[in-house]
Structures are given as C-alpha cells and as structure tokens.
Amino acid sequence: MHCLAEYIIAISRLWVLAMQLRRYAYLSQQTYDIFEIIRCLTLGGPVSACPGTSSPTPPSSNLNGPIISNLGSKPALVPTPAAAAPLPPPPPPPPREPSWVTFEVHAITIPGEIIHLTGDLGELRYWNSDTPIPLICIGNSLWTVTLSLPGSTTFSYKYMRKWNGPVNAIQGMIKFFGSPDPPPLRWEPDPNRSYTTPESGCCTISGSWR
C-alpha cells in the first residue's frame, strides 16, 4: 500500500507539472495527451479531462512575467525605424558686391598702336588675345580703362600692344616706301601681374609698361 500511495502521488505530481508546462506552451498537445491517459488509467477522473477533450489553453501573455510565445512560432517582427530625411543643401553664398577697378599704365606708343588688357577673369576676356579690352590714352602716354570686377577676388592680368595699321596719310606713305610695320601683337614680358579687389567700392591700379 505504501508503494502504491507513492506511485499515485508521483503520477499526480507529473500530471500537475504537465498541466503547467502545457499552459505555458512548453509541452506539445500530443505529449500532454499521453500524461492524461496515464492519469486516467491510474487515478481515474472525469471524461472531460481525458484525451480528445479540451485542454488548458495557453494564455497569450503572463501578467506576472515576460510574454511567452508558442514553441516553434515565428518571432515577432520589430518595426524598423524610418530613415531620417536628408538634410537640405546649404543656401548658396550671397553674390559678391562689384568693385570698380581703374587700370592705369604709362606706355609710349607709336601711331596706330593701342594698349590692351586681358586676364584670367571673364570680365578680362580669359586671356583671349583676339578680343582683349582696349585702353584709352588720356595724354602723356597714360592709358586707362575702368571695369566692374567681383569684390574680394584675386586675379592675374597682363597688358599687350596691338598694331591697328597706319592712322593717317603720312604713315600710309611711309609704309608705301617700305617702312616695316611693328608686330601686330606684343605681350608684356613675364611674370603676370596680379591684384586682389576690395570687398566693394572703387580702386585704381597704376603702373608702367615693362
């Protein structure tokens, strides 16, 4: 009798453990049914507790502990945070105020020869010797021109001489009798001149032909 009582107690404890495991989805339905059959054959019990009837339904969550999902089920999908929107491009820098720059150069020329200017800015024709900027002689071999250039800008430039042909009949006669013409284009010798314009306002660059 003593061994039978211990056997019944052991079966009861196994059945209680099986119910707890099944409740939290640690035990499959098939294994739980086997424990139910053993319990019914050993201890007896109501028909509703035997295999083929309803069994404890695993809860969706445990209020007193962490959420326990069914074994073999797919893991819950964690939403991916949306990517941050790209930052807008920085605003363009404000346009520079123009500077009015007066170029003055002392250069002795012959009739028909004109001093020109070119450099590495668009306003200076980008070193184009075909369309340089002509200067005006205002007397005493002083040639000058005033241009609008971007402020706070460093640039390079150079003067040149261009021969435009005889300017009057006397020079035409001299040419007729074999006087040679000067070269049609003559650059100032190196190095290039350079200058930095002020932020705004007016300035004058003075110099002499080299």
Side-chain angles (χ1 to χ4, degrees):
M1 294 294 296
H2 180 70
C3 293
L4 180 60
E6 289 183 353
Y7 178 74
I8 293 174
I9 291 173
I11 292 298
S12 300
R13 288 178 177 176
L14 286 175
W15 180 74
V16 172
L17 178 60
M19 287 188 62
Q20 293 178 350
L21 292 176
R22 178 58 186 162
R23 180 179 298 276
Y24 296 111
Y26 288 123
L27 198 65
S28 66
Q29 181 65 43
Q30 183 178 4
T31 306
Y32 177 78
D33 290 343
I34 295 175
F35 276 100
E36 283 288 278
I37 293 173
I38 295 174
R39 187 190 69 83
C40 291
L41 294 176
T42 305
L43 305 178
V47 176
S48 60
C50 292
T53 62
S54 60
S55 61
T57 302
S60 59
S61 64
N62 182 9
L63 298 180
N64 297 323
I67 297 175
I68 301 176
S69 60
N70 292 333
L71 295 177
S73 60
K74 295 182 179 180
L77 297 178
V78 179
T80 303
L87 296 176
R96 296 179 179 179
E97 293 291 332
S99 295
W100 291 95
V101 182
T102 298
F103 294 86
E104 292 182 350
V105 59
H106 288 272
I108 298 175
T109 59
I110 62 176
E113 194 175 44
I114 299 176
I115 302 298
H116 290 71
L117 170 69
T118 187
D120 60 359
L121 295 178
E123 293 82 356
L124 300 180
R125 311 290 173 81
Y126 287 121
W127 299 112
N128 191 340
S129 60
D130 294 330
T131 58
I133 300 171
L135 279 68
I136 299 174
C137 184
I138 59 176
N140 295 325
S141 302
L142 180 62
W143 296 79
T144 182
V145 68
T146 300
L147 303 173
S148 175
L149 302 180
S152 302
T153 301
T154 301
F155 64 95
S156 299
Y157 69 99
K158 187 177 283 189
Y159 296 108
M160 64 173 64
R161 297 171 182 261
K162 293 195 75 173
W163 167 253
N164 292 335
V167 295
N168 54 41
I170 296 178
Q171 293 178 6
M173 291 176 62
I174 295 174
K175 175 178 176 55
F176 178 78
F177 285 105
S179 176
D181 291 335
L185 174 65
R186 185 155 58 99
W187 287 90
E188 210 178 18
D190 289 334
N192 296 334
R193 300 174 185 260
S194 63
Y195 188 77
T196 300
T197 58
E199 185 176 354
S200 61
C202 302
C203 62
T204 300
I205 307 174
S206 298
S208 299
W209 178 274
R210 295 193 297 243

